[in-house]
Amino acid sequence: MRKEVIMYTEIGCFVLCVSGWILMCSTMPTEYWNYSTVDGIVLTTANYFSNLWKDCISDSTGVSDCKEFPSLLGLDMYIHVCRALVITGIILGFFGAVLALVGMKCTKIGGSDITNARITFAAGMNYIISGLCGMIAFSWYGNRIREEFVDPNFKAQKYEIGAAVFIGWGGSTLLIVGGFVYSIFSLSKPISSASTLSRQVYVPGIPEQDLESRRGKANRYFSRDAYV
């Protein structure tokens, strides 16, 4: 496979994965993980929304008030798991970006092609695991909202899936796809160096530098006397 194709593919995957990582990071401060609207009197409307860290409420005038969760131990287990998975995915995505910058062909930092291939493969695995962590967290949170919404025996306030969950799904998908392509193309990097090594002939008793010089003299000799 041509080096230019691998290089441009790596750049495209890097942009894809970084975009997904940014989308996942943006869900952390976003307050609209879920939302609910309560209509009362004609001009009175209350909007309830929350995320992994706090509950918020706003009225028809646009004034909103947020309150952090009072007790860490009093939260449901899925909140703790979603927090841990999203934070883990963000950390893995950051290290995946660092490894990708080192292993990419255009940066020329990693060293040989085989070393670059290993670093790029590690970056792809980090991106895939990061995307899976985010996908599990957002899917679990969204499914919990769906279960409560369709449950006829659930009498508390019912919520709908907010924009942050959809953004997280999109970012996680980009991370998984980009990491998967990264991992596949990293396996084709050592091919060029392996083919180069296979063309080298080792002659016992002759140093490599002398062998190269003799080979060059022979090539010049045959090129000069080819038509004599």
Side-chain angles (χ1 to χ4, degrees):
M1 186 174 294
R2 296 181 59 185
K3 293 183 178 181
E4 292 80 4
V5 176
I6 298 176
M7 183 179 65
Y8 291 132
T9 304
E10 287 178 346
I11 295 174
C13 290
F14 180 76
V15 174
L16 197 71
C17 292
V18 171
S19 301
W21 181 75
I22 292 174
L23 290 175
M24 184 183 293
C25 292
S26 67
T27 62
M28 294 298 287
T30 303
E31 298 172 348
Y32 284 90
W33 280 62
N34 57 29
Y35 70 94
S36 179
T37 302
V38 177
D39 296 328
I41 308 175
V42 177
L43 298 178
T44 302
T45 303
N47 298 317
Y48 296 90
F49 49 94
S50 62
N51 58 9
L52 297 177
W53 313 99
K54 56 188 175 181
D55 290 322
C56 299
I57 183 174
S58 65
D59 54 19
S60 58
T61 61
V63 178
S64 61
D65 185 22
C66 295
K67 180 181 179 181
E68 295 183 356
F69 295 141
S71 175
L72 182 64
L73 299 177
L75 296 176
D76 294 332
M77 181 58 65
Y78 80 97
I79 296 290
H80 294 291
V81 176
C82 290
R83 284 179 176 180
L85 287 174
V86 174
I87 293 174
T88 302
I90 291 174
I91 295 174
L92 290 175
F94 173 78
F95 285 108
V98 174
L99 291 172
L101 286 175
V102 174
M104 290 172 66
K105 280 185 172 295
C106 59
T107 58
K108 299 180 180 179
I109 300 176
S112 63
D113 288 342
I114 296 177
T115 303
N116 281 338
R118 293 173 179 173
I119 296 175
T120 305
F121 183 79
M125 288 294 101
N126 272 13
Y127 280 135
I128 291 175
I129 298 174
S130 173
L132 290 176
C133 288
M135 186 66 70
I136 293 172
F138 297 117
S139 299
W140 193 349
Y141 193 92
N143 185 65
R144 182 62 180 264
I145 297 174
R146 185 198 63 82
E147 287 181 349
E148 293 178 353
F149 189 85
V150 300
D151 187 4
N153 298 321
F154 186 76
K155 303 302 181 182
Q157 181 72 31
K158 293 186 177 182
Y159 292 88
E160 298 186 24
I161 300 175
V165 178
F166 293 99
I167 294 174
W169 278 332
S172 301
T173 303
L174 292 180
L175 284 169
I176 294 173
V177 173
F180 184 72
V181 177
Y182 245 130
S183 302
I184 291 178
F185 273 82
S186 66
L187 301 177
S188 61
K189 277 187 175 183
I191 295 178
S192 59
S193 26
S195 60
T196 303
L197 293 174
S198 63
R199 291 193 298 267
Q200 296 178 356
V201 180
Y202 175 71
V203 179
I206 301 179
E208 185 178 355
Q209 295 179 353
D210 294 343
L211 184 62
E212 291 294 333
S213 62
R214 294 185 183 185
R215 189 178 297 161
K217 291 179 180 179
N219 291 334
R220 289 195 299 270
Y221 175 80
F222 285 110
S223 63
R224 185 178 63 251
D225 299 337
Y227 299 98
V228 176

